Amino acid sequence: MLRAFLVFFFPVISISWLQAQTTPNQLPVQPATASTGEASSAKTALKSSLPLAEAVITVPGVCDSMIADSNACVTVITREQFEDLLNGLSQAGQPLRPDQAKALAQAYADSLAYAAAARKAGIEDRPQFKAFMNYQHLRVLAGLYRHTLEEKYKSPSPEDISSYYHDHIADFEEVSLRRLMIPKNNPGAKDKEEYQTKALQLAHDLRERAAKGEDFDDVESEAYTTLGLTIAPPGTQMGKRRRENFVPEEAEEIFALKPGDASKLEIESSSYVVYKVDSKRALPVDQVKDEIKKLLYKQALDNAFKAITGRVHPELNPRYFVEPMKPPSANSPEAKPSSSESIKASH
């Protein structure tokens, strides 16, 4: 009974609805590692002193069997059964707070009443119901296994973290960087072509001077004055940056530089740019440990999922399954109004 309810419960009862019925200032129910017995129930946040076999939900007038006298029916849910449900929800990634248990119990009782009425109406015997329940069973079973894998891989070992760090040390390099920017265009210039020629030549000259050690801020200020730019120079300090802050080609060049080196002149969409590395270091493993944990977790989880579904290639009958409709492109005949439609629209 409980297992069937648990399968049906996930898609039907909204956890957000239960949360809306209760106050938010309670701790969540902690997941249990076992599904029955004292060890399991002791891990729930309720920590009840009631015996496991004692009833916690009693629903008079509702039972599984279809008998005429509903007064003879009663459904009893024990503490052990109810806490199995709580633990099942936690393991499925939907933990409840202790104060939400009462709302869950009421929803459970309501569902039992609806289910009893549905049985009397013969819904349970319909093939559509059986197919739907089979699909829901598959969904919940798959979801529980996915959650099991998530729990399994969420805490990589210190050895795995250290190994990943040393194998990918370049990903954890950090540079303290300066950037010299000279605008390629000046809207206020009388002769725009002359400005562009002058700006490019100046950018080459100042790159050479900056590479020889002249201060980037001084060089940038000189460039703006020489070119007659009225806006203030942006400043050259970029702070600390990692490879992920740049496009791959740019990162490759910048991180190949030694401290004190300047890059070649980069021609970007609106500026001429020169980078200079002030300092460079590999971040210590303790500083990037959490980042590596997330990377290893995602990597292990992706591999586990691929091992399960990678060889699954369903063959769908094209005579039955139609391709999803695509919206017409702007240039397709379907997207263009006919001449008659255009005439109507104009009136």
Side-chain angles (χ1 to χ4, degrees):
M1 171 66 191
L2 179 67
R3 185 173 300 173
F5 171 77
L6 187 58
V7 170
F8 185 68
F9 182 87
F10 287 130
V12 175
I13 301 299
S14 168
I15 296 303
S16 60
W17 177 85
L18 290 173
Q19 292 171 342
Q21 311 304 308
T22 52
T23 55
N25 299 319
Q26 301 290 337
L27 295 173
V29 175
Q30 297 298 317
T33 54
S35 59
T36 58
E38 289 288 347
S40 170
S41 58
K43 290 182 180 293
T44 67
L46 298 178
K47 297 188 183 301
S48 173
S49 60
L50 294 177
L52 289 176
E54 183 161 337
V56 294
I57 307 173
T58 302
V59 189
V62 175
C63 59
D64 285 341
S65 60
M66 296 172 58
I67 62 177
D69 185 7
S70 62
N71 293 325
C73 284
V74 63
T75 295
V76 174
I77 308 300
T78 66
R79 173 195 163 198
E80 181 177 21
Q81 290 175 317
F82 189 64
E83 291 184 358
D84 277 347
L85 172 58
L86 292 175
N87 291 329
L89 289 170
S90 291
Q91 290 171 14
Q94 302 182 65
L96 296 182
R97 302 189 310 267
D99 61 311
Q100 293 171 334
K102 188 173 182 180
L104 172 60
Q106 182 61 56
Y108 196 160
D110 290 346
S111 293
L112 287 169
Y114 278 111
R119 288 190 192 94
K120 290 181 180 179
I123 291 176
E124 197 172 39
D125 297 325
R126 295 177 184 175
Q128 296 92 337
F129 173 80
K130 292 177 181 179
F132 174 75
M133 287 303 294
N134 181 58
Y135 176 65
Q136 293 300 335
H137 177 84
L138 292 174
R139 283 186 60 203
V140 174
L141 193 60
L144 286 171
Y145 188 63
R146 284 175 65 97
H147 185 67
T148 299
L149 292 175
E150 290 167 358
E151 290 296 307
K152 178 180 179 180
Y153 295 118
K154 73 177 183 180
S155 299
S157 69
E159 294 76 19
D160 287 341
I161 292 171
S162 177
S163 177
Y164 187 93
Y165 173 78
H166 288 99
D167 290 344
H168 301 82
I169 190 68
D171 293 340
F172 305 108
E173 286 183 329
E174 177 187 79
V175 291
S176 182
L177 202 62
R178 288 176 178 267
R179 178 180 60 188
L180 168 64
M181 293 182 65
I182 300 175
K184 290 171 63 176
N185 299 289
N186 179 9
K190 294 180 179 179
D191 188 331
K192 291 180 172 51
E193 288 188 8
E194 180 184 353
Y195 170 86
Q196 291 173 351
T197 301
K198 185 177 181 180
L200 177 59
Q201 182 59 52
L202 184 62
H204 280 293
D205 293 344
L206 294 183
R207 184 268 165 200
E208 296 301 319
R209 289 167 52 187
K212 291 177 182 178
E214 289 195 40
D215 183 80
F216 261 43
D217 283 315
D218 291 343
V219 169
E220 188 176 69
S221 295
E222 180 182 330
Y224 274 60
T225 301
T226 303
L227 293 171
L229 295 166
T230 56
I231 58 174
T236 64
Q237 285 285 359
M238 288 189 69
K240 294 177 171 58
R241 293 287 189 273
R242 288 174 58 181
R243 290 177 184 268
E244 62 196 32
N245 300 125
F246 304 93
V247 296
E249 297 80 7
E250 209 169 41
E252 193 67 30
E253 181 187 3
I254 289 170
F255 281 84
L257 298 174
K258 298 176 182 178
D261 286 352
S263 71
K264 69 178 188 295
L265 184 67
E266 306 284 350
I267 301 177
E268 299 186 353
S269 58
S270 60
S271 303
Y272 300 113
V273 178
V274 180
Y275 293 102
K276 182 178 181 181
V277 174
D278 284 339
S279 64
K280 182 179 180 182
R281 66 162 183 160
L283 295 171
V285 65
D286 286 345
Q287 191 171 330
V288 294
K289 181 169 58 177
D290 289 342
E291 180 182 337
I292 295 175
K293 280 184 178 180
K294 292 178 182 177
L295 290 168
L296 287 174
Y297 168 72
K298 184 179 183 306
Q299 187 180 85
L301 209 56
D302 287 346
N303 289 338
F305 291 162
K306 286 176 183 176
I308 295 169
T309 63
R311 290 177 292 179
V312 178
H313 304 292
E315 297 178 2
L316 306 182
N317 188 336
R319 294 166 58 193
Y320 179 80
F321 295 101
V322 297
E323 292 295 325
M325 293 183 64
K326 296 180 180 179
S329 64
N331 296 324
S332 67
E334 294 86 351
K336 296 179 180 180
S338 64
S339 57
S340 60
E341 289 174 333
S342 301
I343 293 171
K344 290 178 182 177
S346 65
H347 291 285

